[in-house]
Amino acid sequence: MSYINLEKIALKEIPKISDPDGRGNLSVIEKDVLPFVIKRVYYLYDVPSDSSRGGHAHIELQQFLIALSGSFDVVLDNGKSRRSITLNRPNKGLLIPSGVWRELENFSAGAVCLSLVSEVYQESDYIREYQDFLNYSK
Ligand code: T46
């Protein structure tokens, strides 16, 4: 397996419909926005600012993360290098392919992280030990 190019992982615009009468915005994710069929949706909230989530990679699962409210940082690691991306807009999402280690940190007060994923929950899809991930990503 070759190292995944982290520079290709970028924030993706989600279509936004601004209301002409000033009633705010509506964003929609429908077919063709994501390269996978959504099999599961979960969300993280009430995360203390000094806590982190993630700290693992997935073997098959792809996911799309959105900061529905507030902000947080996603640290991506391909086994060779790291990069951090801030999510702070509900009309931008981060598409994380399989095989990338991720850590979510610096949650602001009231932050809500929505996660749309390509697989049902399966613990066997997780690589939770960093050394195992380094061996896997070589
Ligand atoms: C990811 C980051 C961003 C379930 O029972 N069903 C589920 O669908 C999920 C996602 C988790 N769980 C259980 C498994 C653990 O006992 O909930 C507990 C916490 O899960 P975990 O420690 O994996 O939570 P995070 O926030 O560290 O990771 C989650 C996702 O698991 C992961 O795919 O990328 O959010």
Side-chain angles (χ1 to χ4, degrees):
M1 183 176 156
S2 58
Y3 293 109
I4 288 168
N5 185 349
L6 297 182
E7 296 309 315
K8 287 197 173 162
I9 303 179
L11 287 173
K12 190 176 164 69
E13 197 89 25
I14 303 167
K16 177 168 94 173
I17 302 168
S18 297
D19 190 84
D21 299 321
R23 297 182 304 154
N25 300 318
L26 181 156
S27 279
V28 56
I29 298 168
E30 51 191 349
K31 77 177 169 71
D32 299 340
V33 171
L34 298 180
F36 59 83
V37 172
I38 299 166
K39 288 202 185 149
R40 183 163 51 104
V41 175
Y42 62 85
Y43 41 98
L44 304 170
Y45 55 100
D46 292 346
V47 181
S49 59
D50 58 354
S51 288
S52 65
R53 305 291 307 214
H56 55 251
H58 284 282
I59 298 166
E60 296 290 342
L61 181 144
Q62 304 172 64
Q63 72 187 143
F64 192 59
L65 297 179
I66 306 163
L68 281 190
S69 173
S71 66
F72 53 88
D73 297 332
V74 182
V75 178
L76 301 171
D77 183 329
N78 64 2
K80 199 170 109 186
S81 56
R82 287 190 160 216
R83 107 169 248 239
S84 176
I85 299 175
T86 300
L87 271 69
N88 57 11
R89 293 295 305 151
N91 67 320
K92 285 185 183 189
L94 186 66
L95 185 62
I96 307 179
S98 55
V100 175
W101 185 271
R102 85 289 313 274
E103 290 166 18
L104 280 63
E105 58 188 30
N106 293 330
F107 281 80
S108 71
V112 178
C113 169
L114 179 71
S115 180
L116 310 176
V117 299
S118 64
E119 309 297 330
V120 298
Y121 176 71
Q122 233 185 337
E123 189 55 37
S124 58
D125 190 63
Y126 286 74
I127 304 172
R128 290 194 185 268
E129 292 298 328
Y130 190 64
Q131 189 56 51
D132 292 344
F133 170 68
L134 292 180
N135 295 338
Y136 174 83
S137 60
K138 265 182 199 154

